[in-house]
Amino acid sequence: MDEALLRSLTPSVLALLVRRGVDFAAAEDAVQDALVEAVRGWPADPPRDPKGWLVTVAWRKFLDQSRADTARRRREDRAGEEPAPGPTPAADDTLRLYFLCAHPSLTPSSAVALTLRAVGGLTTRQIARAYLVPEATMAQRISRAKRTVSGVRFDRPGDVATVLRVLYLVFNEGYSGDVDLAAEAIRLTRQLAAGIDHPEVAGLLALMLLHHARRAGRTAPDGSLVPLAEQDRGRWDTRLIAEGVAILQAALARDRLGEFQAQAAIAALHADAPTAEETDWVQIVEWYDELLRLTGNPVVRLNRAVAVGEADGPRAGLAALAELDGSLPRHTAVAAYLHERDGDLETAARLYAEAAHHAANLAERDHLTRQAARLNARRRH
């Protein structure tokens, strides 16, 4: 069974049904039923036209569902519109699904789940496992999202920024369960980039590729986190880095800078440095200044303080950090790092321990706890 083929065909089949006037929720259910039939029948009798087969079966599944309704006349009208046998149109409406799934009335978590289901072709069980929630909980979330977007027309221009934000959220989930969400986000963003000519789409794809290229170096064999400066750069994927840099350069050449292009430029400078010591921190600070101009994001200010500490010394970094809200995520960990760089091991150890107490996940907590223990051991000796 070619699962990749099914997943690649799912969004276009769903979009085709919706374009013909089928309610989104009903269309999505019909496509899922058709996929079940495909899993059962294709291994023994694969169709010559997989997409056409899915469209035909999904349409019939929809008609079966419609027969339980009271609107007999409407059912008969739609029955007369059943697609004729033969090749299906080459038009791909997948792009429309991106904008529908990123509808502004949906919460970010619902938009992500709906995108993975409708565009990514993942099952509810796979999405639930990836998010470590019960399947019933995820099913309810997806059902609510489908009800929200039911009846939404496709004739309004979509919000590219919202679509990109949803894909960025998918990527940041990383890997858990049996679905690699980082790789899935890259696949979906490649698909979006093939359908829309937009520098920020290219910027997001470049950013994902450059971050994903460092994945193998981020953890030690025991699963512990490895900071960027200590990573084995020989384990980075140079092919992904080269592709990401090429995509970024083409996007930047269009002179329509956006936040994802700026983030990708920072990632490219890290990837380009042969060693941590050779990182061009001065240029990274300049890119953070551009990113701040675009977003004003306080987390960007926090990351900029780290870059300033590397470019101009830890005391300059601490001065930049002092201007920020201490309740920001990772603020205490950044302060600990800069104090260590400045030689104040006692303060750094205390701050590492405090940051570990507020860590967002177990891996981060263990890393910060080890940092505190390391400095305390150095102080004793």
Side-chain angles (χ1 to χ4, degrees), residues 255-341:
D255 199 23
R256 289 169 54 194
L257 184 64
E259 62 174 299
F260 289 119
Q261 295 170 72
Q263 287 188 56
I266 293 168
L269 287 167
H270 283 299
D272 187 55
T275 65
E277 292 73 24
E278 295 174 87
T279 303
D280 189 345
W281 287 106
V282 172
Q283 194 173 166
I284 288 177
V285 172
E286 292 174 356
W287 275 110
Y288 271 122
D289 289 339
E290 289 288 345
L291 193 53
L292 271 177
R293 181 181 61 80
L294 291 166
T295 68
N297 191 312
V299 175
V300 173
R301 293 185 184 277
L302 182 68
N303 292 332
R304 180 185 179 278
V306 176
V308 169
E310 299 289 354
D312 300 328
R315 294 194 179 181
L318 287 168
L321 188 66
E323 300 175 1
L324 305 180
D325 185 349
S327 65
L328 277 172
R330 294 182 52 249
H331 185 284
T332 306
V334 169
Y337 173 74
L338 291 172
H339 277 291
E340 180 185 355
R341 288 278 318 282

Side-chain angles (χ1 to χ4, degrees), residues 35-105:
L35 292 174
V36 171
E37 293 296 324
V39 171
R40 289 174 179 167
W42 284 15
D45 184 22
R48 287 192 297 271
D49 179 10
K51 181 179 176 182
W53 188 98
L54 285 172
V55 170
T56 300
V57 173
W59 186 265
R60 288 173 179 166
K61 293 292 183 182
F62 163 68
L63 293 179
D64 289 342
Q65 295 165 356
S66 297
R67 290 189 181 100
D69 299 336
T70 58
R72 180 176 301 275
R73 180 175 299 175
R74 191 175 181 186
R75 291 201 308 271
E76 291 173 351
D77 290 342
R78 283 178 171 168
E81 298 172 5
E82 180 173 345
T88 56
D92 185 359
D93 291 324
T94 302
L95 187 58
R96 297 171 179 263
L97 289 182
Y98 276 102
F99 295 111
L100 182 63
C101 294
H103 195 270
S105 62

Side-chain angles (χ1 to χ4, degrees), residues 59 95 127 163 197 211 309 323 337 342:
W59 186 265
L95 187 58
I127 300 170
V163 174
D197 184 21
H211 277 306
E323 300 175 1
Y337 173 74
D342 196 37

Side-chain angles (χ1 to χ4, degrees), residues 171-230:
F171 182 80
N172 285 338
E173 289 297 328
Y175 174 85
S176 59
D178 61 352
V179 178
D180 185 339
L181 290 180
E184 183 64 16
I186 290 172
R187 184 182 77 85
L188 294 176
T189 307
R190 284 190 190 279
Q191 193 179 66
L192 181 63
I196 184 171
D197 184 21
H198 194 292
E200 272 293 82
V201 176
L204 178 59
L205 179 57
L207 175 64
M208 289 179 175
L209 293 173
L210 290 165
H211 277 306
H212 204 55
R214 303 202 302 260
R215 177 171 176 167
R218 288 197 185 104
T219 54
D222 62 359
S224 59
L225 293 179
V226 180
L228 176 61
E230 300 172 19

Side-chain angles (χ1 to χ4, degrees), residues 7 39 125 138 164 193 216 326:
R7 287 171 60 189
V39 171
R125 177 174 297 180
M138 185 55 68
L164 295 181

